[in-house]
Amino acid sequence: MRRCKGTIRLAATLLTVAAASAGQAQTLGPADTTGVNTIKELFEKLHSCWRPPPAASVNPMDITVIVSFNRTGEILGRPRITYESAQASDVDRLAYRVAVMEALQRCTPMPFTETMAGAAAGRPFAVQFRNTKHQPERRAWLSPKTL
């Protein structure tokens, strides 16, 4: 009988600790609820929403989009693709364009703070989404040459 009571107490203690932990997790909440207050946080938020297409279906590439927001964090106008990797095929380009638009959908409305809403409203932001392994650039004057 004693062993049963001890087990019941242990189970009750574990349930209490689990409930307290869950309560703490709910009160803390995700970091996204605080609002975007700086340009750096804006880019971090946009990159956190980025899900590149699967590597099995397309080749990796870079893409840049210009996007503007209104005060409430909604996209203002239409985002514009301004750069895509030169070696990308039409299939790659289409897949990455869709991935960029999905990232923008996931992130909007952008949770701007009041001050950031006033500062960001109507301003264009060029957001780079990179999905290539960049090799260090080789330039002729950096390469050892024997003459």
Side-chain angles (χ1 to χ4, degrees), residues 33-129:
T33 60
T34 59
V36 173
N37 194 40
T38 64
I39 293 173
K40 180 181 176 188
E41 290 174 6
L42 169 72
F43 283 97
E44 288 172 354
K45 174 77 172 161
L46 287 169
H47 286 112
S48 73
C49 295
W50 170 244
R51 309 279 183 280
S57 61
V58 294
N59 295 315
M61 65 176 266
D62 295 342
I63 188 167
T64 301
V65 62
I66 293 183
V67 63
S68 298
F69 300 95
N70 62 18
R71 292 183 61 83
T72 61
E74 296 289 334
I75 294 175
L76 185 63
R78 287 190 292 179
R80 192 176 68 212
I81 304 292
T82 59
Y83 174 79
E84 294 171 318
S85 297
Q87 78 279 5
S89 69
D90 288 341
V91 173
D92 298 338
R93 291 175 202 276
L94 180 62
Y96 275 84
R97 288 176 185 181
V98 169
V100 166
M101 295 309 148
E102 288 174 348
L104 293 174
Q105 281 183 329
R106 277 191 283 279
C107 275
T108 53
M110 188 64 63
F112 289 135
T113 61
E114 189 61 33
T115 52
M116 183 62 180
R123 299 192 191 278
F125 295 97
V127 185
Q128 296 177 342
F129 294 100

Side-chain angles (χ1 to χ4, degrees), residues 18-37:
S21 298
Q24 282 181 339
Q26 288 176 350
T27 57
L28 292 175
D32 292 344
T33 60
T34 59
V36 173
N37 194 40

